[in-house]
Amino acid sequence: MNVGRQQREETPMTGTQPDHRSVVTTEIPAHGGSLEADPYPTQAVRPIVTVQQHILQEQKRFPGASGEFSWLLSGITLATKMIQAEVRRAGLTDILGSHGNVNVQGEVQQKLDVYANEVLMHCLSVRESIGILASEENERPLTVNLHSPHAKYAVIFDPLDGSSNIDVNVSVGTTFSILKRPDGETTGDVTQWVLQPGSRQVAAGYIVYGSSTILVYTVGNGVHGFTLDPLVGAYVLSHENMQMPTQGIYYSVNEAYQNDFPPGYVKFLNRLRSGEMGHHYSSRYIGSMVADFHRTLLKGGVFLYPPTVSNPRGKLRLLYEANPIAMIAEQAGGRATNGKSRVLDVQPGDIHQRTPLIVGSTVEMDELEKVLQKS
Ligand code: AFP
């Protein structure tokens, strides 16, 4: 196991030492044993579980797990701590505004987009278990350690989702999806590694840089949320086993495009507004998918980015936006569709493929399906 390295990454980055009178981390047993027993229970300390400890526990579910998966995920936690530090200081340093380049999506890259991408690439490329890194900001996937016998995973990410919100101090996020090298794949065929349906994700998650920095992840065994404690420099378990409420009070959609939505979506939105579903829904839309989804996960309801006249295939990207969100939603008891089928069943044809995305609580998703079937 790489426990030594993992522990180093959980040490404070700010130089500020944790206040041991009020906070203590539960020691990670060298054998990765139980975290439940607190060997030193006192009233003066508040035991915490870091994301690293949690991942070590989770990976025990995988037969023969060697610690490499938790080492991989520690690359994400380290990178996102660096990104959040830059986001938090954004108005003070020369990091706001456009970088001057246009990415593969035809979108103007923000300086923070470029920074976030470089940080993730840097932190992940040294993990030998990763063979491929694919990002929204790069036209083609980057192959790293591809021919190493230890390279088993492809990590696909959107380094900074919602980046057009950065300059106005609104929440942004990072999304990631982890796929395993397909069984029997020996030639290093990048396409085979990356173009797998979302149902094959072995892990997925997001980080929302909001009023606090929160990491939410799943390895297919429930959804868990960790808040970054800036004094300790660690993601600390704050939302264990998250469950999406079965019905919410909000819908989240860019209403400016309503005239461009297929008629079924307009009918559905009208039903939400009408009170026919038990109450009149309120509308909330940030324009950062991660932040809009995070609210939906916690409060229930529905987030929609339907097809429009100008984006008939939707706007959001399947592999690194819709798939991780869909896996988390399902693991938390919700659902995700592209309007025709389950998002996680879609066989991708292209790394930057777009998709409509409607994700939310079971009551709203049942109703949407009924309305779309009739339309
Ligand atoms: P940016 O990263 O360019 O800000 O796009 C954000 C995003 O991909 C997603 O996070 C939002 O849900 C969606 O686009 C907002 O798009 P609209 O501005 O068309 O509503």
Side-chain angles (χ1 to χ4, degrees):
M1 283 210 189
N2 296 306
V3 166
R5 283 187 290 185
Q6 287 146 8
Q7 282 176 318
R8 274 205 300 279
E9 299 225 335
E10 285 297 336
T11 56
M13 295 178 62
T14 56
T16 313
Q17 293 304 308
D19 180 355
H20 288 291
R21 286 166 307 180
S22 56
V23 175
V24 69
T25 59
T26 310
E27 225 170 78
I28 304 173
H31 50 77
S34 169
L35 298 170
E36 275 147 32
D38 179 353
Y40 311 110
T42 79
Q43 291 191 336
V45 294
R46 175 170 58 88
I48 59 173
V49 175
T50 67
V51 69
Q52 227 64 63
Q53 291 169 276
H54 202 268
I55 293 164
L56 279 168
Q57 278 296 107
E58 288 288 301
Q59 76 173 12
K60 280 202 244 149
R61 296 189 317 113
F62 300 104
S66 59
E68 65 190 9
F69 191 64
S70 62
W71 176 229
L72 183 166
L73 282 167
S74 77
I76 294 177
T77 58
L78 175 62
T80 58
K81 284 179 202 172
M82 293 171 71
I83 296 167
Q84 75 86 34
E86 210 58 26
V87 168
R88 300 284 171 227
R89 291 187 299 143
L92 303 171
T93 56
D94 182 31
I95 195 87
L96 288 178
S98 150
H99 186 263
N101 291 342
V102 171
N103 70 9
V104 61
Q105 325 287 337
E107 297 161 347
V108 176
Q109 283 183 314
Q110 305 293 311
K111 287 183 201 164
L112 263 169
D113 279 326
V114 175
Y115 176 80
N117 195 40
E118 282 175 6
V119 166
L120 276 156
M121 289 290 179
H122 171 76
C123 292
L124 292 173
S125 58
V126 294
R127 265 62 179 171
E128 219 190 339
S129 62
I130 299 178
I132 294 172
L133 292 167
S135 161
E136 182 193 21
E137 301 302 331
N138 297 101
E139 187 171 356
R140 294 206 182 88
L142 200 76
T143 56
V144 288
N145 318 309
L146 186 62
H147 298 292
S148 157
H150 304 292
K152 286 190 197 144
Y153 300 103
V155 184
I156 309 174
F157 53 86
D158 180 355
L160 209 61
D161 174 64
S163 54
S164 58
N165 279 321
I166 296 167
D167 288 1
V168 290
N169 215 11
V170 170
S171 300
V172 289
T174 297
T175 50
F176 63 91
S177 160
I178 303 180
L179 291 161
K180 212 165 177 193
R181 176 183 212 149
D183 286 342
E185 198 294 307
T186 50
T187 58
D189 177 352
V190 175
T191 314
Q192 274 196 50
W193 282 51
V194 175
L195 299 184
Q196 303 188 54
S199 55
R200 301 234 182 96
Q201 293 172 106
V202 291
Y206 65 79
I207 293 86
V208 56
Y209 311 105
S211 46
S212 54
T213 299
I214 294 190
L215 179 149
V216 173
Y217 90 104
T218 181
V219 290
N221 183 32
V223 175
H224 310 287
F226 299 78
T227 303
L228 183 67
D229 183 333
L231 295 181
V232 181
Y235 285 108
V236 176
L237 183 62
S238 52
H239 300 72
E240 193 165 21
N241 238 328
M242 298 170 88
Q243 282 294 311
M244 199 184 280
T246 50
Q247 185 174 10
I249 56 168
Y250 301 124
Y251 67 84
S252 185
V253 69
N254 190 335
E255 314 224 19
Y257 304 148
Q258 172 154 326
N259 293 343
D260 287 351
F261 294 157
Y265 291 94
V266 180
K267 270 190 212 151
F268 174 64
L269 290 171
N270 285 336
R271 271 187 71 65
L272 297 177
R273 294 174 190 130
S274 69
E276 291 164 71
M277 290 183 59
H279 53 260
H280 297 273
Y281 281 69
S282 281
S283 158
R284 295 279 188 281
Y285 190 69
I286 296 167
S288 280
M289 181 199 65
V290 172
D292 279 315
F293 174 72
H294 189 63
R295 183 192 51 252
T296 309
L297 176 63
L298 292 176
K299 305 282 183 197
V302 57
F303 167 84
L304 307 94
Y305 206 113
T308 60
V309 172
S310 52
N311 283 316
R313 294 188 178 158
K315 177 188 178 191
L316 303 178
R317 275 51 64 124
L318 175 64
L319 286 179
Y320 40 83
E321 292 183 312
N323 274 346
I325 293 297
M327 182 174 181
I328 287 177
E330 288 196 4
Q331 284 290 317
R335 296 222 298 277
T337 175
N338 62 10
K340 295 197 167 114
S341 65
R342 179 182 176 230
V343 167
L344 296 181
D345 285 339
V346 175
Q347 171 61 53
D350 181 82
I351 291 167
H352 299 290
Q353 178 169 331
R354 294 178 190 267
T355 179
L357 174 67
I358 306 92
V359 55
S361 300
T362 48
V363 169
E364 288 84 353
M365 296 303 286
D366 283 345
E367 191 61 28
L368 174 77
E369 264 165 38
K370 268 193 248 159
V371 175
L372 290 184
Q373 264 165 21
K374 284 191 205 148
S375 306

